[in-house]
Amino acid sequence: MKKVERINIIMRYINNRAHFTISEIMREFNISRSTAIRDIREIEALGMPLVAEVGRDGGYSVLRNSVLPVVRFTGNEVKALFIAFMATRNLQLPYLQSRQSLTEKLLGLISENQQEDLFLLNQILLFEGTNPSNPDLLDLSDLPHPMLEKLIQILLLDSYLLISLKEETYPIYLLHLYREKSLWMIEAFNLKDEKKEIYPVDHLTNVIPYPEKKRVSKKKILEKLSKQEEAINLVLELGPKAIAQFKKYHPLKVSLSYTNPYQTTAIIKTFIHIEKPEELTEITSWLLFLGEDIKVREMPEEILAGLQQRLHLYRSE
């Protein structure tokens, strides 16, 4: 636990108590005596009125009617929060129904000058999905799929799930929940077929915890996944132009890993089912779409043959 986070938790802990001791703080937060004393001194410096009590049973007490210090935001912090709220419009994010109340609370904490700055920002900044002619008009439905919030609530307690998509059910261990191409996707280990798969949240009809007696340990799941990852047969290095093309379009199962801090070079590692003609056709078209700013480290001969045939046809035309 980081120091700032620990101090904030300790402040809430002692603010709800009439009296506390250093020993209690040490036990509650599993910290040394010297760390506890330093944290108490920092809390006093932040403005919480504590009174030290001497004697055998001494400790600290909080003055009655005292409250935690008022939260104050700098101008840049207010702008950062407001812009974050603006950028979430039209993204079908979970818990969006709380965004309006959060915005109202934020506006209530700031000065009139800061409110005017936010008004100007709202007029100037346009994000993806915003209608330029009427920024207040949402181009898409602002609310996410109704199953998304239920899925997240269960995930906070358990990653072993039984999900229903239309008429099929799948026992899974959820690895990631992510949003791509305006769609929420589940990346999971299928406990029945013992392989990694991707499921669209929009197709979910139900989700419940998977029975414990049928589960496989997380350790075994990770071992199976590591063995499957050894089957990677397509490895590409991308330059800045190819990265720009990748952002425009890429197959859902393909992910990008940047190889420098400036995000100008990247690498792709994935597995292509060469026995599936439709997948070979899709990947061949996509590689041509990426352009010349790529270097091939590893590629199945079937894909290479498909690229050569396609290029030959282009030249013939």
Side-chain angles (χ1 to χ4, degrees), residues 8 21 25 35 37 61 70 79 91 161 164 172 204 206 228 241 243 252 308:
N8 285 332
T21 65
I25 298 295
T35 300
I37 292 173
S61 59
V70 177
K79 293 182 182 69
L91 292 186
L161 307 173
S164 301
I172 66 167
L204 276 182
N206 194 28
Q228 292 175 12
K241 292 180 180 179
I243 291 173
L252 285 172
Q308 291 172 340

Side-chain angles (χ1 to χ4, degrees), residues 130-142:
T130 305
N131 188 321
S133 302
N134 184 357
D136 293 328
L137 178 66
L138 299 179
D139 284 353
L140 304 170
S141 171
D142 206 19

Side-chain angles (χ1 to χ4, degrees), residues 91-92 141 143-148 151 163-166 177-186 198-206:
L91 292 186
Q92 290 82 49
S141 171
L143 295 177
H145 189 278
M147 291 299 299
L148 182 59
L151 176 63
I163 61 173
S164 301
L165 285 82
K166 297 182 179 179
L177 176 64
Y178 64 97
R179 187 174 180 274
E180 189 169 59
K181 298 180 186 176
S182 300
L183 295 173
W184 282 97
M185 310 298 292
I186 295 171
I198 295 174
Y199 307 93
V201 173
D202 282 0
H203 293 173
L204 276 182
T205 56
N206 194 28

Side-chain angles (χ1 to χ4, degrees), residues 231-248:
I232 286 172
N233 59 3
L234 179 64
V235 182
L236 305 173
E237 290 182 1
L238 277 64
K241 292 180 180 179
I243 291 173
Q245 291 294 94
F246 179 92
K247 291 179 179 179
K248 293 177 184 177

Side-chain angles (χ1 to χ4, degrees), residues 281-293:
T281 301
E282 179 190 12
I283 290 297
T284 301
S285 300
W286 179 65
L287 289 174
L288 291 170
F289 170 76
L290 289 180
E292 298 179 356
D293 195 18

